[in-house]
């Protein structure tokens, strides 16, 4: 029995919807330490079924694809669960948050504790925590790392773009100095274009001013 394109689209849509159901605000206090392992297995199974259907055009292929996808997704989830748990124990600054989305870790470092106003020199007090991030990345080497700078909307957009790039590069320099190879790291400046809160009040602006260290598994 073949699987139609419509059915495949439903499968893939379900995977995307499920992967988006993780609430970042609750991840740091989740009661099930294997939540993301389970989610990764489910999402991997759905995607595997779709891939099996494409390659084999049969229900049997879909079953085999689902099994392979669930295994791979579960492996990624378990890898990230363990890395996130280790990192939470190692970091001393409560302002740094770690979000496990099931397929990547997002370590968010607020600019207000990392840089002086309009500066891109990392404060000495944060150097040790960034070094701990670097040591964690060395302990879990099967990943690539994106370091992304963000600002609020105050000031000129062009200036904010440049500042976000300089701050991302400054954090990358500290992580590289901790021993993480250059070829694992890429830096991105997003300026004011990717807010996570309102720019209409001070609390929201403070959340938007951040550098994110995004850890994406490659081989597990």
């Amino acid at each position: 029995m073949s699987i139609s394109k419509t059915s495949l689209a439903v499968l893939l849509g379900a995977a995307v919807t499920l992967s988006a159901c993780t609430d970042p605000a609750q991840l740091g206090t989740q009661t099930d330490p294997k939540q993301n392992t389970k989610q990764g297995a489910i999402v991997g199974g759905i995607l595997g079924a779709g891939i099996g259907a494409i390659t084999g055009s049969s229900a049997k292929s879909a079953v085999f694809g689902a099994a392979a996808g669930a295994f791979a997704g579960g492996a990624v989830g378990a890898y990230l669960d363990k890395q996130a748990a280790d990192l939470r124990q190692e970091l001393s600054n409560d302002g740094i948050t770690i979000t496990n989305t099931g397929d990547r870790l997002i370590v968010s470092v607020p600019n207000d504790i990392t840089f002086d106003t309009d500066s891109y020199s990392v404060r000495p007090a944060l150097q040790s925590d960034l070094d701990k991030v670097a040591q964690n990345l060395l302990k879990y080497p099967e990943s690539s790392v994106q370091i992304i700078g963000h600002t609020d909307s105050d000031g000129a957009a062009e200036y904010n773009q440049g500042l976000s790039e300089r701050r991302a590069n400054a954090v990358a320099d500290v992580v590289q100095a901790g021993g993480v190879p250059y070829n694992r790291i890429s830096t991105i400046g997003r300026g004011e274009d990717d807010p996570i809160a309102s720019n209409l009040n001070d609390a929201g602006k403070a959340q938007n001013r951040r550098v994110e260290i995004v850890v994406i598994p490659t081989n597990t």
Side-chain angles (χ1 to χ4, degrees):
M1 178 179 66
S2 63
I3 296 180
S4 69
K5 292 181 180 178
T6 300
S7 299
L8 179 57
V10 170
L11 286 171
L12 297 178
V16 171
T17 300
L18 181 59
S19 67
C21 287
T22 303
D23 182 357
Q26 297 176 352
L27 283 169
T29 57
Q30 64 188 34
T31 56
D32 184 354
K34 295 185 178 180
Q35 174 182 332
N36 291 289
T37 303
K38 295 172 182 176
Q39 180 172 311
I42 294 169
V43 173
I46 293 172
L47 291 176
I51 293 170
I54 292 172
T55 58
S57 298
S58 69
K60 183 181 290 187
S61 294
V63 170
F64 284 130
F71 180 81
V76 170
Y79 188 85
L80 291 177
D81 282 334
K82 190 171 188 312
Q83 184 174 9
D86 285 354
L87 196 51
R88 289 189 180 101
Q89 289 183 341
E90 292 158 2
L91 295 179
S92 60
N93 196 303
D94 292 337
I96 300 174
T97 61
I98 303 164
T99 301
N100 185 345
T101 69
D103 66 347
R104 66 191 59 201
L105 296 183
I106 303 175
V107 182
S108 185
V109 187
N111 286 346
D112 292 359
I113 65 173
T114 312
F115 306 100
D116 292 329
T117 302
D118 291 333
S119 170
Y120 55 93
S121 295
V122 177
R123 288 176 175 169
L126 260 292
Q127 296 268 353
S128 61
D129 275 315
L130 291 177
D131 186 64
K132 289 174 183 175
V133 171
Q135 297 311 305
N136 180 272
L137 292 172
L138 290 174
K139 182 179 178 181
Y140 294 89
E142 301 296 336
S143 64
S144 61
V145 183
Q146 294 178 348
I147 300 182
I148 308 172
H150 302 269
T151 71
D152 60 29
S153 62
D154 285 352
E158 184 177 357
Y159 177 82
N160 288 335
Q161 176 63 35
L163 182 61
S164 71
E165 293 171 3
R166 291 189 290 273
R167 286 179 167 176
N169 286 328
V171 170
D173 287 343
V174 177
V175 172
Q176 288 175 22
V180 180
Y182 177 81
N183 61 7
R184 281 184 68 187
I185 299 174
S186 61
T187 60
I188 303 168
R190 295 215 171 123
E192 60 189 60
D193 292 337
D194 193 13
I196 56 173
S198 172
N199 275 308
L200 299 178
N201 56 69
D202 290 341
K205 290 177 183 178
Q207 292 182 61
N208 292 332
R209 295 189 297 265
R210 68 201 189 278
V211 172
E212 292 174 335
I213 302 170
V214 183
V215 182
I216 305 171
T218 51
N219 300 298
T220 54

